[in-house]
Amino acid sequence: MEYKYLLDIGLIILAVKIFTIITQKIKMPKVLGGLVAGIVLGPAMLNVVQNSSILEALSKFGIILIMFLAGMETSIKKFIANSNKYVIIAAIGVIVPLIMGTIFSLIYIQDLKTNLFFGAVITATSVSITVETLIEMKKIKSSVGLAILGAGVVDDVIGILFLTIVMNTGNLQLSTFVVMALKIVLFFGIAIISGLLLFKVFEKIEKKDTKTEQMPTYSISFALILSYIAEMLGVSGIIGAYIAGLVIGNTEKGRKIKGKIDLVVHMIFSPIFFASIGLNLVSLKFNIPVWGFIIIFTSITIISKVIGNGLGAKICGYTNERAIQIGIGMATRGEVALIMANEAKKIELINEEAFSIIIITVLLVTVITPILLHYSFKGKNENNEKELCNS
């Protein structure tokens, strides 16, 4: 039926709300409710909702708006001042998972290309889920939140380069990297120039639009256009949305419209995004050895980021407690890992079973990480923001 998507959306929003109430009752993060709702409604369990092009589009819109809101919460001055630290945190947080994932995948299969893929696929962080958890806990503006967001941007660029490797396995040329690097530089050039120009434009709009009635429309439009340019140049759209949020959020009235956008996002688009992740799980039917590998690989996926990003944060002068929180926050995996797995399956680098292993691992990590992050902050005072190192 052409209109079944209406039923799907209705069921998703209702189920997410119900499971969110349950997770809040047991003092778990709200994000978990959305993920569980998707798994329950999807092919793995009840199979009443299946992923569709409409749900995927709404999900994409949801993640763009979530990252746009995260950008609005971020101070440009703090972001730029600590950019060198974000590079260090991201770089070490990629190297460690690559090595550990490659080595431990030998338990499953002894094939160098496949082993390298298992290492590469767990390098890319998906901070959108962490962002939602940090917003819920009101930690998005903390030093830990800023570090996760900053390192996440760098991490995403590295993830794009790994995706390029996967898509060109067996026919890898230096020109491929050069073209990709030029596209990334071009995007950031466009983003910075358009951001500076529009910052001035929005300041003028503020003077005329005293009630901020038009600002939400202009803001979302800018976020979507910049996301489109990012995707067109091979960069993740969420980076474009985040940069758009940085521009809007650092204007006086831009901060005041956040509540209007936030309401719509968390009522409709955020539930669809998180539920759609759970819908990707098709089956739970594996033999015991495969499930054993999934559990081990999931553990490695989380631990490798906690060690890698945590070590990077420690080098940058964060306390042990903050370094662990940053490592946990960077442990989430999402769209980049799923895209890499899908592309690897298309070129027959991995089989259907290996593809399913990646999907389940991403889902398990996505469910576990918000819980760990929630408990890592529990009872902690985040008022002191002075642990960033000066270099």
Side-chain angles (χ1 to χ4, degrees):
M1 292 184 292
E2 292 181 3
Y3 47 85
K4 185 181 180 292
Y5 71 91
L6 297 173
L7 175 63
D8 292 343
I9 294 171
L11 289 173
I12 286 172
I13 293 174
L14 179 61
V16 170
K17 184 63 178 178
I18 292 170
F19 281 102
T20 297
I21 292 172
I22 294 171
T23 53
Q24 285 183 304
K25 289 284 186 183
I26 58 175
K27 300 188 184 302
M28 291 285 106
K30 290 191 291 185
V31 174
L32 184 60
L35 297 169
V36 173
I39 294 171
V40 172
L41 291 175
M45 295 186 71
L46 299 180
N47 197 27
V48 293
V49 177
Q50 298 82 35
N51 247 333
S52 64
S53 57
I54 293 176
L55 287 179
E56 286 177 3
L58 290 172
S59 172
K60 186 71 175 180
F61 190 43
I63 189 175
I64 284 172
L65 290 179
I66 288 169
M67 292 307 295
F68 174 64
L69 288 171
M72 292 183 74
E73 295 275 14
T74 306
S75 164
I76 289 180
K77 290 181 180 179
K78 286 184 179 180
F79 185 89
I80 294 174
N82 297 293
S83 57
N84 60 325
K85 300 164 185 64
Y86 303 153
V87 171
I88 293 171
I89 293 170
I92 300 177
V94 165
I95 294 169
V96 174
L98 178 63
I99 294 171
M100 291 182 68
T102 301
I103 293 172
F104 279 89
S105 67
L106 290 168
I107 298 172
Y108 173 67
I109 190 170
Q110 290 76 45
D111 177 74
L112 182 59
K113 282 186 177 180
T114 306
N115 297 145
L116 286 170
F117 168 76
F118 271 104
V121 79
I122 65 170
T123 59
T125 294
S126 178
V127 295
S128 52
I129 294 149
T130 298
V131 164
E132 186 72 1
T133 306
L134 290 170
I135 290 174
E136 179 190 340
M137 296 189 297
K138 295 181 173 57
K139 305 295 184 184
I140 194 70
K141 292 183 180 180
S142 68
S143 61
V144 171
L146 290 173
I148 291 170
L149 284 166
V153 171
V154 179
D155 190 286
D156 210 65
V157 172
I158 297 173
I160 292 161
L161 295 176
F162 276 123
L163 180 57
T164 303
I165 294 173
V166 171
M167 292 176 69
N168 293 276
T169 300
N171 187 32
L172 200 58
Q173 298 177 349
L174 180 61
S175 59
T176 306
F177 282 103
V178 173
V179 170
M180 192 67 248
L182 288 173
K183 284 183 176 181
I184 291 171
V185 171
L186 177 60
F187 165 71
F188 280 102
I190 292 172
I192 292 169
I193 293 170
S194 63
L196 290 172
L197 290 173
L198 284 168
F199 185 81
K200 298 295 182 182
V201 171
F202 282 122
E203 283 186 328
K204 290 182 179 179
I205 292 173
E206 286 178 351
K207 294 177 182 178
K208 296 181 180 180
D209 183 23
T210 55
K211 296 180 180 179
T212 67
E213 291 177 356
Q214 304 302 320
M215 282 293 285
T217 303
Y218 298 138
S219 301
I220 293 175
S221 176
F222 176 46
L224 291 173
I225 291 170
L226 204 55
S227 296
Y228 169 76
I229 294 171
E231 293 283 356
M232 188 175 64
L233 293 173
V235 182
S236 175
I238 64 174
I239 294 181
Y242 180 69
I243 293 174
L246 278 174
V247 174
I248 306 298
N250 282 272
T251 61
E252 186 180 344
K253 284 191 173 66
R255 289 185 286 271
K256 294 178 181 178
I257 66 167
K258 180 182 173 295
K260 296 181 179 179
I261 299 173
D262 189 85
L263 180 64
V264 177
V265 172
H266 289 93
M267 186 182 296
I268 301 172
F269 297 104
S270 178
I272 293 173
F273 165 62
F274 289 108
S276 69
I277 297 174
L279 294 176
N280 281 308
L281 183 59
V282 177
S283 176
L284 293 169
K285 296 177 181 178
F286 294 104
N287 57 38
I288 293 176
V290 173
W291 269 115
F293 174 75
I294 289 172
I295 293 170
I296 294 172
F297 191 61
T298 299
S299 302
I300 294 301
T301 300
I302 296 172
I303 293 169
S304 62
K305 279 289 186 181
V306 174
I307 294 173
N309 293 115
L311 178 60
K314 185 63 181 172
I315 290 172
C316 286
Y318 289 82
T319 63
N320 290 335
E321 181 183 41
R322 300 288 179 261
I324 291 172
Q325 289 169 342
I326 291 168
I328 293 171
M330 293 290 289
T332 50
R333 308 303 199 279
E335 63 282 349
V336 176
L338 296 175
I339 292 169
M340 286 176 69
N342 193 50
E343 292 298 329
K345 188 178 72 168
K346 284 180 182 177
I347 62 175
E348 298 182 348
L349 178 62
I350 58 173
N351 58 25
E352 188 66 43
E353 184 177 82
F355 174 76
S356 297
I357 287 172
I358 298 298
I359 299 298
I360 293 174
T361 299
V362 168
L363 284 168
L364 287 174
V365 172
T366 302
V367 169
I368 295 168
T369 303
I371 298 173
L372 294 177
L373 190 63
H374 185 80
Y375 276 104
S376 73
F377 275 102
K378 199 169 184 181
K380 308 296 180 185
N381 186 0
E382 186 67 13
N383 292 327
N384 185 4
E385 299 299 322
K386 298 181 179 179
E387 64 272 308
L388 292 176
C389 62
N390 299 313
S391 60

